[in-house]
Amino acid sequence: MPYPNLTGDENAIVEMARDFSRKRLAPYALEWDATKHFPVAEMKEAGSLGMAAIYTREDVGGSGLRRLDGVRIFEELAKGDPVTAAFISIHNMCTWMVDTYGSQEQREEWIPKLAPMDVMASYCLTEPGAGSDAASLSTKAERDGDDFVLNGTKQFISGGGASDLYVVMARSEGEGARGISTFLVDKGTPVSPSGRPR
Ligand SMILES: Cc1cc2nc3c(=O)[nH]c(=O)nc-3n(C[C@H](O)[C@H](O)[C@H](O)COP(=O)(O)OP(=O)(O)OC[C@H]3O[C@@H](n4cnc5c(N)ncnc54)[C@H](O)[C@@H]3O)c2cc1C
């Protein structure tokens, strides 16, 4: 049933998400939970419907909608499977960060792959000693020629191990929030023999 306070387009977006959630998530959610299954195929299907780059600009393949549309979509997805809805919302957050703060080169390289979820992204902020107080994080980013070496520990990373791209917050400068930079770390990034990523 359409919401009376929404426009025709807004209702169409909600109905698309609701239909997907009812048919492709809800019937399987309990089984996925019990078997610890990460439903990659269904998430890519959500991506093909425009739900993986909801509030990302259209010139690089985003859906060009608003965050409010995202809230309504996530609400519908969560009715079917809150776990999958949560990961899709995190992937959207990563995609938005690349769109908003990345260079044009990064936008053109990553968003066409993130939007259909051909590349899945994880958001890596939390550490064993830095949760709510994220500005106290201690993962270090040190320059090594043209590269940065990241060294530290992250925890509670949704999609960790399964994702292809890691949006990593690390300390490149001094204390506090202003000393933190964000790095796009490809899953294939080599780790140095000492265990340090290079
Ligand atoms: C299902 C799930 C998925 C997650 N996915 C991700 C992810 O993809 N990427 C990522 O980076 N992180 C992720 N997280 C981590 C999440 O962001 C952190 O759990 C959150 O920031 C809280 O940090 P913490 O667990 O260390 O708790 P703490 O910060 O240690 O907080 C513990 C308790 O103390 C309270 N508290 C903290 N500070 C104060 C204060 N100043 N005053 C009063 N009370 C306070 C909190 O409200 C909480 O009740 C995920 C967590 C969960 C549960």
Side-chain angles (χ1 to χ4, degrees), residues 127-145:
E127 300 178 356
S132 307
D133 183 16
S136 71
L137 64 78
S138 63
T139 292
K140 283 203 167 43
E142 291 169 320
R143 262 203 187 279
D144 181 9

Side-chain angles (χ1 to χ4, degrees), residues 90 122-128 130-133 155-159 169:
I90 290 167
S122 284
Y123 180 86
C124 310
L125 178 66
T126 306
E127 300 178 356
S132 307
D133 183 16
Q155 72 173 7
F156 300 150
I157 306 307
S158 302
M169 273 53 79

Side-chain angles (χ1 to χ4, degrees), residues 17 20-21 25 32 38-48 50-55 70 73-74 76-78 81-96 114-115 117 120-121 158-159:
F20 175 82
S21 182
L25 302 183
W32 290 341
F38 194 56
V40 172
E42 287 75 9
M43 289 194 279
K44 286 182 192 288
E45 208 177 316
S48 74
M51 293 190 275
I54 299 167
Y55 42 91
I73 288 171
F74 298 136
E76 293 303 327
L77 297 181
D81 182 1
V83 177
T84 303
F87 184 73
I88 294 174
S89 82
I90 290 167
H91 176 93
N92 267 275
M93 183 167 63
C94 294
T95 306
W96 170 81
L114 288 163
M117 278 186 123
M120 302 179 90
S158 302

Side-chain angles (χ1 to χ4, degrees), residues 143-182:
R143 262 203 187 279
D144 181 9
D146 289 339
D147 297 326
F148 275 90
V149 175
L150 303 184
N151 194 7
T153 304
K154 296 289 176 181
Q155 72 173 7
F156 300 150
I157 306 307
S158 302
S163 283
D164 312 287
L165 181 68
Y166 294 84
V167 178
V168 180
M169 273 53 79
R171 188 165 302 287
S172 56
E173 294 182 34
E175 294 301 301
R178 289 189 177 277
I180 298 171
S181 299
T182 302

